[in-house]
Amino acid sequence: MQQLQLLVGKNKHRFWCGGVIDSHKLPAFVEKMASRYPIARNKRQRDYDKQRGRAVTHFIAFESGGRVHWWLLSRSGAGGLSDPTSPDARVTRDAMSSDGHITFGDYVLMYATKTVRHEVDDKKTGKPKTIHSDSSTWTWKMRSQVIREIRASIAQCCKHIEYGAEGTDVRPGWGLRGLLWATRQRPQFAGVRNETIELHREALDCWAPQQKLWRSKHPDLVARFGERAGALLSMKELRDVLPKSGRIIVYGPEPRVLRDLASVDEHAGGALK
């Protein structure tokens, strides 16, 4: 997901096509793609192609449960997916268009607004304070259908007074707390993080009228936990525990995976044997 975000956003590989195939078909499929597009070029060769007005392309594959999700991404230029003579021009999509966003599971890659948190010194008091501003960038967000389903689940948990419990590494959570815990475990890209915060805020508002009723049904827990009994994390507590998505090293300086799968001749400048 991080690599797709970087390629589409920072590196401007906005044209793409993709799909899902069986794992055992991947080597032959990579051979096919490498015969059509320069996916096995190294960085120096890609820089040369860019200077010449040729399209720079990347192939990404992710294996899960015997199936491989794949994406072919391309910059504009001759020989790329935006070239009308491309073998896949008819199925090419533009990640910038409303009907061409890249999706993966519960998520969609979009050019969207995110909230940026800044720590600054107050000019009047000299004390540090936190301010939030909006910035637009490429980020992953949850698909609209997923957001609707989570909101419906929040409403159901509140309606049935299912306070629940958070999950752990060895057991799933349940009820409202389990639902919010599961949401926090999602990959916290900026867009997902903002949605997680907003969903938690909605859960706080929805649960507030029910908390008193829950406490009346569990006097033993009230005696044990006091004011924390039946409470959800506050917004401040949420921001303190919500993980941030950091950069992950996807591959080293000499990625070899595609060169191993495709029979590439090093002395032919990246062409197939």
Side-chain angles (χ1 to χ4, degrees):
M1 291 173 71
Q2 173 188 275
Q3 188 69 352
L4 286 169
Q5 179 187 21
L6 289 172
L7 286 174
V8 173
K10 182 179 179 180
N11 296 328
K12 300 180 181 179
H13 290 67
R14 54 184 283 188
F15 302 102
W16 70 280
C17 62
V20 182
I21 58 175
D22 292 332
S23 296
H24 70 273
K25 296 181 179 179
L26 181 60
F29 186 72
V30 170
E31 287 273 6
K32 175 183 175 181
M33 289 293 104
S35 70
R36 294 181 174 184
Y37 308 98
I39 59 176
R41 305 278 277 175
N42 60 33
K43 184 180 185 305
R44 177 182 60 79
Q45 292 168 331
R46 286 190 170 108
D47 289 342
Y48 177 80
D49 290 342
K50 192 186 303 183
Q51 294 172 4
R52 290 283 183 153
R54 300 170 184 165
V56 176
T57 59
H58 284 267
F59 184 90
I60 294 180
F62 177 79
E63 194 277 339
S64 177
R67 302 278 282 169
V68 173
H69 298 260
W70 66 271
W71 299 267
L72 178 69
L73 300 105
S74 166
R75 289 174 62 100
S76 58
L81 289 174
S82 64
D83 187 335
T85 64
S86 162
D88 300 289
R90 63 183 180 82
V91 296
T92 295
R93 307 178 73 179
D94 185 345
M96 285 288 288
S97 64
S98 59
D99 61 348
H101 297 315
I102 294 177
T103 61
F104 179 57
D106 287 350
Y107 310 98
V108 56
L109 183 60
M110 302 178 65
Y111 190 72
T113 299
K114 70 173 184 178
T115 301
V116 181
R117 182 177 179 180
H118 305 279
E119 300 292 336
V120 299
D121 292 331
D122 190 296
K123 293 182 179 180
K124 293 183 179 179
T125 65
K127 297 180 180 180
K129 68 175 183 178
T130 301
I131 62 173
H132 296 86
S133 61
D134 290 337
S135 175
S136 294
T137 186
W138 282 96
T139 186
W140 288 96
K141 301 183 70 174
M142 286 182 262
R143 293 188 292 107
S144 298
Q145 179 62 30
V146 174
I147 292 290
R148 287 194 293 268
E149 291 172 356
I150 296 175
R151 283 176 170 154
S153 296
I154 289 174
Q156 282 295 104
C157 289
C158 292
K159 178 180 178 181
H160 297 291
I161 320 177
E162 295 179 352
Y163 180 53
E166 295 187 354
T168 67
D169 292 337
V170 296
R171 63 170 176 79
W174 68 279
L176 183 56
R177 293 178 68 208
L179 176 63
L180 296 176
W181 175 84
T183 304
R184 297 199 301 271
Q185 309 314 305
R186 292 177 177 274
Q188 294 297 313
F189 292 92
V192 177
R193 183 183 178 86
N194 289 342
E195 289 171 327
T196 299
I197 292 173
E198 184 58 33
L199 287 167
H200 190 89
R201 182 180 288 110
E202 293 178 16
L204 281 171
D205 292 339
C206 185
W207 178 249
Q210 304 295 74
Q211 184 180 355
K212 185 176 180 180
L213 182 57
W214 182 92
R215 286 170 63 89
S216 69
K217 294 184 176 182
H218 301 280
D220 55 329
L221 294 178
V222 173
R224 181 180 177 185
F225 295 105
E227 292 300 318
R228 293 298 305 174
L232 301 177
L233 291 176
S234 68
M235 295 305 297
K236 181 181 183 306
E237 290 171 328
L238 172 66
R239 287 191 169 91
D240 289 339
V241 303
L242 194 61
K244 292 184 178 180
S245 180
R247 284 288 293 275
I248 300 172
I249 297 177
V250 179
Y251 48 59
E254 295 295 334
R256 301 285 302 177
V257 176
L258 289 182
R259 288 178 179 271
D260 292 340
L261 289 175
S263 301
V264 176
D265 184 350
E266 298 283 354
H267 301 291
L272 287 176
K273 288 181 179 178

